[in-house]
Amino acid sequence: MYLKNAWYVAGWSKDFDRSLMAETFLGEEIVIYRREDGAPVALEDACPHRKLPLSKGNLKGDSVECGYHGLTFDCTGTCVAAPTQQGKVPGRAVVRAYPVVDRYRLLWIWMGDPALADPDKIFQIENFDNPEWGYTDGGVLDIECNYLWIVDNLLDPSHVAWVHVTSFAGAGTEDQPLDVARTDRGVIVSRWIYDRPPSPYYAGLVRFEGSCDRLQHYEMCYPAIGLNKSVYTPVGTGGPDAAPVDKTFINISYNFMTPIDEDRSRYFWFQHRNSDPQDKAISEKMNAGARMAFEEDRAVLVAVHEGMKHKKTPNIDLGLDAGAKLFRLQLQRLMDQEATAAAAAQ
């Protein structure tokens, strides 16, 4: 079960062109392409005649021609040609069309009721166009696990002390208490760690020497968007109510989880920092470090998925799971409300 009335990342905008690209999101098979004017199109990837994937057909202008008997569908999913029917288009020859929007270098797809697809509800990335902020190219990773295990992982600052020893770990990450807060858009798990050395990943990025005050801000927003904010600031300048100082380094990792199906997920990410906007070397170093860490996560999460799916004995929860459990509870409530509304509308 998924939250359908929400925007999910379908991919990087640059990766979609005039080719017919077969994708699967939330268990639904979809074909994505671009019109001649560059606008994106997403259709159900199945001709209604014998369900041959339309992605195995041909683009004819802005329409898709099925490779079996030539039924042709426009960008709205309406059949506009049926050669074998002597010009008479079958009334039930229609495929579903999904709203899609390019924004923030990403292609977003709406999986629910098209009438509710408001582009203004796409997750907002602050400072995206701020020339003083640098960003990484980002990446994409397929993970053989349910997307909620990734969500759990991104609401757990503690795991870095064991999984990311050479990157995000550091003094205080294994035992400092966590704060959990519910927001209108999800859940935040965070903590300040004071007067400790920076983690290995950030040691060469901060603008000062010696120890630091450090914020781990792990936020998850519906349906499955993680905003991980790392703040490194000179000792004595950090804290919940402290404003950034001149040497404060802020990095935000944006993480977008799109379920493929119950056992597979696609994970997109990029990072945004308040320094060195033109320094390509820093961006490449940060991107490589992030990918290494996410590969470490993938190895763990694939095993967790298999272990939980085929568990022989009961599992337990720990105190560090509070944020993930709260997010799952709230997400389930939203899915239940959505299902109730859909049933009432039928």
Side-chain angles (χ1 to χ4, degrees):
M1 188 173 180
Y2 310 101
L3 189 66
K4 294 292 188 72
N5 289 322
W7 290 101
Y8 291 86
V9 171
W12 292 98
S13 291
K14 63 180 178 59
D15 292 335
F16 295 98
D17 52 25
R18 292 281 292 163
S19 304
L20 295 171
M21 295 188 64
E23 302 285 1
T24 303
F25 304 127
L26 281 61
E28 299 181 25
E29 295 172 345
I30 298 166
V31 59
I32 300 177
Y33 64 97
R34 291 192 182 276
R35 299 186 327 204
E36 291 178 332
D37 64 3
V41 178
L43 300 174
E44 174 187 353
D45 193 15
C47 177
H49 173 224
R50 289 294 182 264
K51 299 302 181 180
L52 181 73
L54 291 178
S55 57
K56 295 183 179 296
N58 304 287
L59 267 181
K60 298 290 185 178
D62 289 339
S63 298
V64 183
E65 178 190 71
C66 178
Y68 199 8
H69 294 98
L71 269 67
T72 303
F73 301 87
D74 68 12
C75 301
T76 69
T78 301
C79 185
V80 293
T84 64
Q85 301 300 106
Q86 290 76 49
K88 184 179 180 181
V89 175
R92 293 191 299 164
V94 61
V95 295
R96 181 180 177 185
Y98 298 79
V100 277
V101 174
D102 284 301
R103 189 166 297 179
Y104 305 128
R105 300 187 293 142
L106 297 163
L107 184 67
W108 301 76
I109 186 167
W110 182 269
M111 299 297 296
D113 182 352
L116 302 177
D118 181 357
D120 288 340
K121 293 181 179 179
I122 290 175
F123 184 83
Q124 183 178 0
I125 298 178
E126 296 181 2
N127 291 304
F128 183 80
D129 295 319
N130 187 337
E132 297 181 1
W133 282 64
Y135 63 82
T136 64
D137 287 339
V140 57
L141 199 65
D142 279 6
I143 303 180
E144 301 293 316
C145 77
N146 186 279
Y147 77 107
L148 288 174
W149 295 124
I150 311 175
V151 166
D152 287 359
N153 187 66
L154 288 169
L155 277 171
D156 172 23
S158 298
H159 82 277
V160 302
W162 289 271
V163 180
H164 307 306
V165 176
T166 63
S167 54
F168 301 134
T173 57
E174 72 281 0
D175 59 5
Q176 291 295 301
L178 298 167
D179 296 318
V180 178
R182 185 171 62 188
T183 71
D184 290 341
R185 64 181 188 176
V187 172
I188 297 173
V189 179
S190 64
R191 63 181 166 195
W192 275 95
I193 300 172
Y194 299 99
D195 196 9
R196 301 291 181 90
S199 68
Y201 181 82
Y202 287 101
L205 298 172
V206 298
R207 305 165 178 175
F208 54 88
E209 300 292 332
S211 294
C212 66
D213 293 342
R214 171 187 181 183
L215 171 67
Q216 287 184 293
H217 173 107
Y218 282 40
E219 181 175 0
M220 188 59 57
C221 305
Y222 311 121
I225 298 174
L227 185 159
N228 289 5
K229 182 188 297 183
S230 297
V231 177
Y232 287 81
T233 192
V235 173
T237 65
D241 300 318
V245 299
D246 182 58
K247 293 185 178 180
T248 299
F249 180 83
I250 301 173
N251 183 61
I252 301 176
S253 178
Y254 290 101
N255 309 272
F256 309 94
M257 280 64 68
T258 301
I260 297 174
D261 54 32
E262 291 294 333
D263 298 306
R264 297 177 296 158
S265 304
R266 188 155 294 158
Y267 182 7
F268 303 90
W269 76 86
F270 77 92
Q271 295 157 300
H272 211 195
R273 64 182 183 273
N274 70 332
S275 71
D276 307 295
Q278 304 301 323
D279 196 321
K280 186 176 180 180
I282 288 179
S283 294
E284 291 178 348
K285 177 182 178 180
M286 293 182 70
N287 211 36
R291 176 172 284 278
M292 180 188 72
F294 298 151
E295 288 287 3
E296 293 171 339
D297 282 327
R298 175 160 68 170
V300 170
L301 294 171
V302 169
V304 165
H305 177 82
E306 287 300 308
M308 292 295 286
K309 186 174 181 178
H310 304 291
K311 62 185 178 182
K312 302 297 190 297
T313 57
N315 68 288
I316 64 171
D317 293 324
L318 301 175
L320 58 85
D321 299 312
K325 290 172 67 177
L326 178 59
F327 183 83
R328 284 186 181 234
L329 177 64
Q330 293 298 108
L331 181 62
Q332 186 62 54
R333 286 175 177 170
L334 291 175
M335 291 189 290
D336 291 345
Q337 292 170 9
E338 186 175 274
T340 300
Q346 290 180 351

